Amino acid sequence: MKKLILTAALFLGFQQSSKACAWYDPDYDYFNLFAQEIIHNKTYEPFLLTYSNHFYGYDYNGRVDKDIPDENIESWVKYFDNKLTYEETNALVTKVDIKHLNSLKKGQLTHPLFQKLGKGFYTKYQEAMDYLIQAKYMEPYMRINFVENPNADYYYRSEKTNDKNATQLNYEKTNAALISLYKAASNPEIKLRYAYQLVRFNHYSRKYQSAINAFQTYVEPLKLKNHMYYYALDQKAGAERGLKQFDKANWDFFQVFKNTKNKKESAYNSMFLATDKDFNKILAQTKTPEDRNMAYFLLAYNSFNNPVPIMNKMIENNTESDILKVLTVRAINQLERNYLVVNPYCNDKDCDHFRNKRLPLYAPANYAQESKDFAKELEATVVLAKNKKGADEFWQLCEAYIKFLNTDYKGSQNILSQIKTTDKEYLAEIEKFKMLNEIVSQPTMTPAFENSLMKKYSKVFEQKGDYNNWLYQPATKDFVMDILANRYFIEKQDAKSFLMNNNLSDLQYNPNSDLVKKVEEFYKKSNKTAFENYLVKKMEDIADPESFFNMIYGDRAMRLADFKKAKEFYSKAKNYKGIPRMTGEWKDDGKTYIQKTITFENGVYNGFNNISNLVFGHNVWESFQSKPEESMKAEGLSNFPFIKNKMNKIELADAVIQLENIGKGNDDKARLANQLLGNLLYNTSVLGYFREIFVMDVDNTNGPKFQFGNELQSPFYLYYKNFSNRSYVEPDNFDLAINYYKKALTLSKDKENQARILFQMASAEQGKYYQWEANNPLKVNYDDPKYEEKSKQNELFANKTKNEKFRTSFAQLKANYSQTATYKNLQSSCLYFGYYTSK
């Protein structure tokens, strides 16, 4: 079993190491399809599997799980003859201030609850009310006093300097009062509550032996084994631990864990379980099969070992053990986390093959076999339990789900169809699993299947996920959407694959022409299926999709210097309202993010309007954060009055068409026209100050679009999920700008101007080098024994290539124009030019 014992640890390691950031929450990295909460005994819910908190059912505010009953409140409801609801009883016991109870004792009704109950309530339940007065008086002090350890390597200071603790009460008077009240009480239940207070008070006063003696003197003689007995035993165990009697404490905490409903978490936390010996000592004292199962559970829960061998021992003891079912759903959840991750990833070696991969995937390759081994062992154990006499449908449900994870959809469906149950939680799981089997096993996405999706499972697609709530966790709908997106992706139905996980406006983040064209064709498609019409709704966040598409096409045409075609596209986008951008703010609850559309002020570029004529200028210095007039300088615009100070894209396209016509001449005006066209193409490239203009962006703030290497291949291997986090924009063609510069250089007769043009050409050549560098990475593994030597060789090769193929304009500048004012100014103002010329 050595390999399998390693497996579960690998599972946990994969989940935790796949994200190294402190804010990463592993419980948000899988779909949680198998509801662990189907266990019937809800008192065990804290022990379901979670990697986000120490116990299940918590968020950043604490416990949010409401299924665990408070047995103390339940007992008070019964004591008060059900005259109070559970909520009213909880208020009386935990919330109503002591002053109102004292007023009731005097016959004064100062609280609405007592006004409802009347003065006779105190008379009838006098002993109970007097006890509650005493308990409420003591409660603020019922915590152990902190004693700083001088050898500790930390400094403790309470945030509340006025925190109370038990030592602040007069010990002799309080202890004597509790003993007196205990003896005076006639009702055994109330007597036991005073006994509990005695044990707790002594424990928190650090009088550990006295606490143990109080338990033996006042609790045990009553021979009441209700919840208050175990609450008192919990305090006795704490005292034993204080005396370092760990074996006794562990056994008593174990009894509390086993016999209480809402003390299981604290009892488990209080046990001192450092080694297997600690568990074996508990196991040796157990007398019933269920007690042994409890002990086995603690061993499995406390470690990251493969739980299957322990589960097999538990099955021998009691197949229908609630705690065994808890361990089973934990194991299934552990398996699911590796089969159904929210964002599967690939490494450099296997990404190229992902186009043919069908979700769900196994864990990364180095974990796949271990996952399969664990799944096989777990399924065998579940089948073993299922075949035991008296086994209920829980085990069938577990087997069906494991078969689903192992892609045995037919086998899973057969088991599900045979389950006979009236349990609502089981029925909901069965319905869900049948749907998942049908969707995941579908061989191809046909119109008939699409129509059946909306007919049979419309409720799933209508679910509204609160994606702006940072506490939202992926759910069944998200899994189904990912599966369908993957199937469409495999079948080259990219438009539908895209729309499964995105809105139309998201195309702005990756405006590559191929995908845009496919989405437009889908938009225009007639006779759509019911499911396709559902997807069309994902396009409604753009008021005029036609204008949106034409804007992207126009931008691409401009980048390709096809100015006439660009103007045609822009002219069809007259209703375009600008690039849709959202902002927002967190509500006061700290959970919900409210989005709103950004409105662009007059004069600000919005994706269509307000393009500065400085787009034809040249850099004064390279600073994307500076204002346009600080980074850019106009160049000969007075010769071309048709270039406006501020233009929309139609006007810009018209202006460059006129410049292109002028540039066909042979005079100095033609020279300047070609120079401006070269400037425009360079300035709107990934290196230019106006790099946002033709890639569906609103400013030049750095991001994935403006990084070299994104043009290698599509970063989408399984579907188009997380579309805005990645980039795939067609690369700039720097040769287009260079060609215009070459025409300008040929027509130029001024040496200063020639130097300026050569520098612009050199800048464009630098862009070509960056593209070459990104497309030809020279990798050396860090563990290579010749790492430094090879890295230096790579650097020399890159520099050689740069100088031989991408520095021709720099070389010409240095050789022929070093005496010009332009050259000297560039040496001081352009860092990389100065670096080159100094070599």
Side-chain angles (χ1 to χ4, degrees):
M1 299 303 295
K2 186 176 181 181
K3 181 177 182 181
L4 287 173
I5 289 174
L6 177 65
T7 299
L10 286 173
F11 284 0
L12 183 62
F14 164 66
Q15 288 294 335
Q16 292 182 334
S17 65
S18 62
K19 302 280 171 63
C21 299
W23 47 260
Y24 169 61
D25 189 336
D27 280 359
Y28 288 72
D29 204 28
Y30 78 112
F31 294 100
N32 199 15
L33 298 181
F34 185 87
Q36 296 185 82
E37 298 87 348
I38 63 171
I39 59 169
H40 288 153
N41 190 336
K42 303 304 181 184
T43 65
Y44 289 121
E45 281 198 7
F47 298 90
L48 299 178
L49 188 63
T50 174
Y51 292 153
S52 299
N53 297 288
H54 192 55
F55 290 107
Y56 187 87
Y58 286 80
D59 68 8
Y60 73 107
N61 281 323
R63 174 160 287 288
V64 294
D65 186 343
K66 305 299 182 186
D67 290 333
I68 301 175
D70 187 325
E71 53 209 324
N72 186 43
I73 302 302
E74 289 179 335
S75 72
W76 279 117
V77 171
K78 184 178 179 181
Y79 185 92
F80 292 128
D81 302 311
N82 296 303
K83 291 182 178 178
L84 284 76
T85 65
Y86 180 94
E87 290 72 22
E88 289 172 332
T89 307
N90 184 55
L92 171 61
V93 174
T94 65
K95 298 176 183 178
V96 175
D97 192 272
I98 188 174
K99 66 183 180 182
H100 296 295
L101 275 72
N102 280 318
S103 296
L104 178 65
K105 188 173 183 177
K106 298 174 184 177
Q108 301 168 1
L109 306 178
T110 58
H111 191 277
L113 179 61
F114 297 145
Q115 292 168 7
K116 172 187 173 182
L117 294 170
K119 296 178 181 180
F121 186 78
Y122 175 80
T123 305
K124 184 170 183 179
Y125 301 107
Q126 180 177 344
E127 275 196 351
M129 299 305 293
D130 286 344
Y131 167 77
L132 287 175
I133 290 172
Q134 178 66 25
K136 284 179 182 287
Y137 166 72
M138 294 182 63
E139 189 59 33
Y141 300 93
M142 287 303 97
R143 57 178 56 86
I144 202 161
N145 65 313
F146 176 78
V147 178
E148 186 172 354
N149 180 357
N151 298 318
D153 59 357
Y154 60 86
Y155 174 71
Y156 173 88
R157 180 179 65 83
S158 172
E159 292 182 4
K160 298 180 180 179
T161 55
N162 62 343
D163 272 354
K164 296 178 180 179
N165 64 71
T167 61
Q168 293 171 346
L169 291 172
N170 184 297
Y171 176 77
E172 286 74 17
K173 287 184 178 180
T174 304
N175 200 59
L178 288 172
I179 293 172
S180 177
L181 290 167
Y182 170 88
K183 292 178 178 179
S186 59
N187 187 296
E189 289 187 40
I190 302 301
K191 195 179 277 286
L192 179 57
R193 290 182 182 277
Y194 281 122
Y196 159 73
Q197 295 289 357
L198 268 165
V199 179
R200 183 167 71 147
F201 174 59
N202 278 277
H203 172 208
Y204 288 163
S205 299
R206 291 188 180 272
K207 297 183 181 299
Y208 299 133
Q209 190 58 53
S210 295
I212 296 170
N213 294 340
F215 183 87
Q216 295 169 342
T217 303
Y218 301 109
V219 175
E220 287 181 340
L222 296 176
K223 300 186 184 303
L224 282 177
K225 286 289 187 79
N226 62 13
H227 73 286
M228 286 308 302
Y229 169 87
Y230 291 105
Y231 283 17
L233 184 64
D234 183 53
Q235 296 297 322
K236 172 183 175 257
E240 289 167 336
R241 180 162 181 169
L243 294 173
K244 301 190 183 309
Q245 299 173 359
F246 295 124
D247 291 344
K248 290 182 180 180
N250 282 348
W251 178 249
D252 285 340
F253 280 131
F254 179 70
Q255 301 303 311
V256 177
F257 176 86
K258 187 179 62 156
N259 292 291
T260 61
K261 294 179 180 179
N262 60 344
K263 287 284 185 181
K264 294 186 186 298
E265 292 175 48
S266 62
Y268 175 82
N269 273 336
S270 299
M271 292 185 201
F272 186 80
L273 303 172
T275 68
D276 286 354
K277 289 182 180 180
D278 299 316
F279 292 99
N280 290 332
K281 288 177 181 177
I282 293 175
L283 186 62
Q285 297 180 74
T286 59
K287 297 178 180 179
T288 68
E290 187 60 9
D291 281 1
R292 286 192 287 276
N293 275 1
M294 288 280 186
Y296 281 133
F297 172 80
L298 292 177
L299 175 59
Y301 184 83
N302 196 58
S303 69
F304 296 127
N305 290 335
N306 174 17
V308 169
I310 297 174
M311 290 168 61
N312 289 335
K313 291 182 179 180
M314 294 172 72
I315 290 171
E316 293 175 9
N317 288 325
N318 179 12
T319 306
E320 289 311 293
S321 167
D322 289 332
I323 204 72
L324 169 60
K325 292 179 179 179
V326 173
L327 206 53
T328 303
V329 296
R330 282 174 55 88
I332 291 175
N333 183 273
Q334 183 174 298
L335 185 63
E336 180 184 324
R337 288 170 183 265
N338 292 276
Y339 279 48
L340 307 179
V341 291
V342 170
N343 293 303
Y345 65 93
C346 62
N347 57 40
D348 292 339
K349 294 179 181 179
D350 59 17
C351 287
D352 293 340
H353 306 294
F354 265 27
R355 188 78 192 188
N356 299 317
K357 291 282 188 178
R358 288 171 66 90
L359 290 176
L361 296 170
Y362 286 120
N366 53 323
Y367 294 106
Q369 188 57 49
E370 287 87 346
S371 297
K372 291 177 182 177
D373 290 344
F374 181 71
K376 184 178 178 181
E377 290 285 326
L378 181 58
E379 183 175 8
T381 294
V382 168
V383 171
L384 177 65
K386 184 189 75 169
N387 293 332
K388 285 279 187 177
K389 184 178 179 180
D392 69 8
E393 56 272 17
F394 168 85
W395 300 104
Q396 292 173 281
L397 198 58
C398 292
E399 183 188 10
Y401 187 68
I402 295 172
K403 285 187 179 296
F404 163 75
L405 290 179
N406 286 328
T407 70
D408 183 3
Y409 307 122
K410 184 177 180 180
S412 176
Q413 209 75 335
N414 287 339
I415 294 172
L416 293 170
S417 63
Q418 295 171 13
I419 298 177
K420 307 297 181 185
T421 184
T422 57
D423 186 284
K424 291 182 179 179
E425 289 181 312
Y426 289 176
L427 288 171
E429 290 292 281
I430 291 169
E431 182 181 359
K432 176 171 61 178
F433 295 160
K434 284 182 176 180
M435 175 190 70
L436 295 178
N437 277 318
E438 181 180 356
I439 291 175
V440 175
S441 63
Q442 181 67 18
T444 57
M445 303 299 294
T446 64
F449 178 66
E450 288 182 341
N451 283 326
S452 71
L453 280 175
M454 296 308 293
K455 185 176 181 180
K456 295 170 66 175
Y457 307 123
S458 59
K459 289 183 180 179
V460 174
F461 297 106
E462 291 168 0
Q463 291 174 4
K464 301 291 185 183
D466 188 5
Y467 300 107
N468 290 324
N469 186 333
W470 67 275
L471 294 174
Y472 174 79
Q473 288 184 279
T476 302
K477 177 186 176 181
D478 302 291
F479 174 75
V480 170
M481 298 293 274
D482 281 5
I483 292 295
L484 296 176
N486 170 250
R487 299 303 187 264
Y488 285 128
F489 187 87
I490 291 171
E491 296 174 17
K492 309 294 179 69
Q493 298 191 58
D494 292 81
K496 286 192 269 190
S497 179
F498 168 78
L499 290 170
M500 291 302 305
N501 297 123
N502 303 280
N503 294 317
L504 180 59
S505 63
D506 291 323
L507 278 175
Q508 65 182 288
Y509 299 107
N510 286 284
N512 67 84
S513 306
D514 180 58
L515 179 59
V516 174
K517 188 67 177 175
K518 291 176 180 178
V519 176
E520 183 191 24
E521 289 172 354
F522 173 73
Y523 175 73
K524 293 180 177 180
K525 178 186 174 185
S526 58
N527 300 320
K528 293 183 178 70
T529 66
F531 188 72
E532 288 174 334
N533 283 323
Y534 163 78
L535 290 179
V536 168
K537 294 180 180 178
K538 306 289 287 291
M539 308 174 85
E540 292 177 354
D541 66 325
I542 295 293
D544 183 3
E546 285 285 357
S547 292
F548 185 72
F549 295 133
N550 280 301
M551 185 57 54
I552 295 175
Y553 297 146
D555 285 350
R556 182 58 183 158
M558 288 291 283
R559 296 177 73 207
L560 293 174
D562 192 345
F563 306 128
K564 291 182 180 179
K565 181 65 72 174
K567 185 178 179 182
E568 290 177 16
F569 285 125
Y570 288 148
S571 297
K572 296 176 184 177
K574 292 182 178 179
N575 296 325
Y576 187 66
K577 303 300 181 184
I579 295 173
R581 282 295 162 91
M582 306 297 291
T583 186
E585 59 185 7
W586 291 101
K587 291 182 68 175
D588 292 339
D589 62 7
K591 303 177 185 179
T592 308
Y593 186 75
I594 304 299
Q595 281 192 329
K596 59 182 180 180
T597 303
I598 294 176
T599 54
F600 295 90
E601 299 176 3
N602 291 334
V604 176
Y605 174 66
N606 71 345
F608 183 69
N609 296 309
N610 301 313
I611 301 171
S612 169
N613 61 10
L614 287 173
V615 75
F616 292 106
H618 65 262
N619 283 86
V620 175
W621 67 327
E622 188 168 301
S623 173
F624 291 104
Q625 292 77 33
S626 301
K627 295 178 180 179
E629 57 272 18
E630 294 173 349
S631 285
M632 304 297 294
K633 182 178 180 181
E635 193 156 25
L637 295 180
S638 59
N639 294 281
F640 309 105
F642 52 83
I643 297 178
K644 301 178 181 179
N645 290 336
K646 288 288 183 72
M647 297 164 282
N648 63 34
K649 285 188 174 179
I650 299 175
E651 293 168 335
L652 177 62
D654 185 68
V656 294
I657 290 171
Q658 293 187 59
L659 284 175
E660 190 168 45
N661 289 330
I662 294 170
K664 293 175 183 178
N666 295 309
D667 56 5
D668 191 60
K669 192 171 183 180
R671 183 272 305 169
L672 183 54
N674 281 292
Q675 191 170 345
L676 295 186
L677 288 170
N679 286 352
L680 171 77
L681 291 174
Y682 177 79
N683 290 335
T684 55
S685 75
V686 66
L687 292 177
Y689 180 85
F690 293 97
R691 59 190 180 181
E692 75 274 14
I693 300 294
F694 300 136
V695 291
M696 293 293 283
D697 223 320
V698 293
D699 58 44
N700 62 21
T701 304
N702 196 27
K705 285 181 183 177
F706 307 131
Q707 296 169 8
F708 288 96
N710 294 322
E711 67 273 12
L712 282 172
Q713 60 180 339
S714 170
F716 305 103
Y717 309 106
L718 296 166
Y719 44 25
Y720 291 101
K721 191 175 179 180
N722 300 322
F723 193 72
S724 62
N725 297 338
R726 307 171 187 181
S727 184
Y728 181 46
V729 182
E730 291 98 336
D732 293 302
N733 185 346
F734 287 100
D735 283 328
L736 295 173
I738 291 172
N739 289 337
Y740 283 113
Y741 285 136
K742 284 181 178 178
K743 292 179 185 178
L745 186 62
T746 302
L747 296 173
S748 177
K749 295 180 174 59
D750 177 76
K751 206 164 181 75
E752 294 291 341
N753 180 250
Q754 290 171 359
R756 163 57 60 188
I757 295 171
L758 277 170
F759 176 73
Q760 293 299 107
M761 289 174 64
S763 299
E765 280 186 311
Q766 189 76 3
K768 291 181 66 175
Y769 168 72
Y770 291 142
Q771 289 177 335
W772 173 86
E773 186 180 49
N775 294 336
N776 298 274
L778 303 172
K779 294 184 178 179
V780 183
N781 293 329
Y782 286 109
D783 57 357
D784 192 317
K786 295 184 177 181
Y787 173 78
E788 291 187 9
E789 179 184 339
K790 290 182 179 180
S791 295
K792 192 171 183 178
Q793 290 174 353
N794 284 346
E795 184 179 352
L796 291 172
F797 175 72
N799 287 333
K800 184 174 182 292
T801 302
K802 184 192 303 182
N803 290 325
E804 290 179 355
K805 296 183 178 180
F806 303 105
R807 284 277 173 86
T808 57
S809 297
F810 270 138
Q812 192 175 349
L813 256 177
K814 186 174 183 179
N816 302 321
Y817 295 87
S818 59
Q819 299 306 312
T820 63
T822 300
Y823 181 94
K824 293 175 181 178
N825 181 56
L826 287 170
Q827 267 191 312
S828 60
S829 63
C830 178
L831 292 177
Y832 72 84
F833 181 67
Y835 170 76
Y836 171 76
T837 56
S838 65
K839 297 175 74 174

